[in-house]
Amino acid sequence: MSKLPLIVAPMFLVSNPAMVIEAGKAGVIGSFPLLNARPISKCAEWLKQIKEKLKDHQWAVNIICHKQSNKRYEEDLHLIKEFQPPIVITSLGHPGEVIDIVHQYGGLVYSDVATVKHAKKSAQIGVDGLILVCAGAGGHGGTLNPFAFIQAVKAFYSGTIILSGSISTGQDIAAAQLMGADYAYMGTRFLVAEESQAVEEYKKMVIESTMEDVLYTNAFSGVYANVLIPSLIKEGIEPGSLKSREDIDLSHLVDVKAWRDIWSAGHGVTSVQKVESMKDIINQLKKEYDSGVSRLVQND
Ligand SMILES: Cc1cc2nc3c(=O)[nH]c(=O)nc-3n(C[C@H](O)[C@H](O)[C@H](O)COP(=O)(O)O)c2cc1C
């Protein structure tokens, strides 16, 4: 079977060392948001554990660079310096300091971008890869069409391109590669992994939901995110009553109470059908990827 060009995307309150280690053992790149491990001493333990288990494999951490939101920013930077994760994924904010630190030890920095303007800015700062967050992505999804976005970015950027947004099957991964991506970036497909920290009710909702159940709203933090309508209803929130929010307030990253009950997923929920181990999901993706690639070869 072929090697999958896949990064299992970092997911707030969901990703953990078990997911990262299983991803690495299965030959793909796993990741977790540093803020998932609290307090900071626990984060150091997670990093130590992953580093020991994945000596010869790639893995990644995610740091929120928006300093007003990430009160642990300096401490997170310190942990990156100490544990030297091979890849650091930055989201929200300026990745400059992270680049300096990670490049010093020979690591790579990939940055989340959802607009061409932001992609240009990150490219100029010197990131090693751009994660193009397209329409339908879980978490803070974008609005751009992946075909158009990837071509627009390729016009000025020759680094690694990582495509995200509802990539759900191995055939989708092959398609992303055909479009010019070096890696596919998948979150929602892994929400229901046995190893994931999502509570059972959340996993059940992801399995039962379709893309019609996903709402794109900035009502909660001022930053647009895709959330599951059934999770709003469960909390007594009428989706039609949500108001657009102009100010950015990402305090849920620190005070997680609200976010624990409002659940996010991308349009790819439609393809998620059962709880499975990381190993089984990745094996399934590998089979689908091979069949996708051979379909293209046959059509040649
Ligand atoms: C529940 C959930 C939480 C997420 N949390 C984060 C996060 O903490 N940091 C981040 O950079 N991206 C986060 N994301 C976005 C993912 O890293 C990734 O961009 C997205 O899941 C890709 O789209 P997909 O879900 O359609 O596969 C999250 C996504 C989900 C579904």
Side-chain angles (χ1 to χ4, degrees):
M1 264 193 284
S2 321
K3 193 169 161 47
L4 268 191
L6 170 66
I7 299 175
V8 181
M11 288 181 280
F12 189 54
L13 305 181
V14 172
S15 322
N16 58 15
M19 290 178 79
V20 180
I21 292 166
E22 287 307 312
K25 282 183 0 198
V28 305
I29 302 171
S31 66
F32 78 94
L34 290 169
L35 284 175
N36 276 12
R38 298 153 199 248
I40 195 90
S41 55
K42 184 170 173 188
C43 196
E45 276 168 37
W46 280 21
L47 288 161
K48 186 165 176 275
Q49 194 186 339
I50 295 168
K51 209 172 159 146
E52 275 169 12
K53 288 270 176 2
L54 293 183
K55 282 197 185 77
D56 305 318
H57 301 278
Q58 293 280 77
W59 54 279
V61 299
N62 169 227
I63 180 168
I64 306 288
C65 296
H66 190 257
K67 292 184 194 174
Q68 292 87 339
S69 315
N70 182 5
K71 306 281 179 238
R72 243 177 54 178
Y73 177 75
E74 293 299 334
E75 288 167 286
D76 284 351
L77 275 187
H78 189 78
L79 283 181
I80 289 173
K81 246 186 232 167
E82 185 181 347
F83 288 94
Q84 308 192 344
I87 301 168
V88 177
I89 294 166
T90 68
S91 39
L92 305 165
H94 194 286
E97 276 178 306
V98 177
I99 296 174
D100 291 345
I101 290 169
V102 176
H103 282 179
Q104 262 175 30
Y105 66 78
L108 299 170
V109 177
Y110 296 161
S111 282
D112 259 12
V113 293
T115 63
V116 175
K117 189 174 160 199
H118 191 181
K120 275 194 181 141
K121 209 168 143 193
S122 298
Q124 276 162 7
I125 302 169
V127 297
D128 304 287
L130 290 173
I131 302 164
L132 311 189
V133 182
C134 298
H140 294 140
T143 55
L144 293 179
N145 174 288
F147 289 97
F149 198 8
I150 211 165
Q151 291 315 319
V153 170
K154 275 187 167 284
F156 61 84
Y157 184 68
S158 56
T160 301
I161 293 204
I162 302 131
L163 192 65
S164 113
S166 298
I167 297 177
S168 308
T169 67
Q171 283 95 343
D172 295 351
I173 299 174
Q177 225 175 3
L178 190 64
M179 286 162 71
D182 298 290
Y183 289 101
Y185 197 68
M186 292 169 66
T188 297
R189 181 70 181 85
F190 288 93
L191 265 172
V192 298
E194 274 164 17
E195 293 85 350
S196 122
Q197 289 191 161
V199 293
E200 292 312 310
E201 201 189 341
Y202 186 1
K203 291 184 184 176
K204 190 164 171 277
M205 194 179 285
V206 168
I207 289 167
E208 288 170 357
S209 296
T210 68
M211 61 195 293
E212 270 89 37
D213 296 310
V214 177
L215 179 73
Y216 191 58
T217 176
N218 68 351
F220 295 100
S221 67
V223 179
Y224 275 93
N226 279 311
V227 298
L228 287 171
I229 294 171
S231 81
L232 301 179
I233 293 171
K234 170 180 75 63
E235 291 304 303
I237 300 168
E238 168 51 44
S241 71
L242 291 176
K243 301 248 176 332
S244 177
R245 184 170 178 161
E246 300 313 322
D247 62 311
I248 307 273
D249 175 7
L250 292 157
S251 53
H252 68 271
L253 295 174
V254 184
D255 178 12
V256 293
K257 278 187 217 99
W259 211 243
R260 271 201 201 285
D261 301 317
I262 309 271
W263 294 331
S264 172
H267 291 176
V269 273
T270 309
S271 313
V272 182
Q273 271 150 23
K274 58 178 176 192
V275 172
E276 287 169 290
S277 66
M278 289 291 291
K279 190 176 169 194
D280 287 348
I281 298 174
I282 295 166
N283 277 339
Q284 173 72 18
L285 292 172
K286 282 183 184 167
K287 281 190 210 135
E288 293 166 352
Y289 176 79
D290 283 342
S291 96
V293 170
S294 56
R295 205 166 78 190
L296 286 172
V297 174
Q298 277 160 20
N299 283 346
D300 229 2

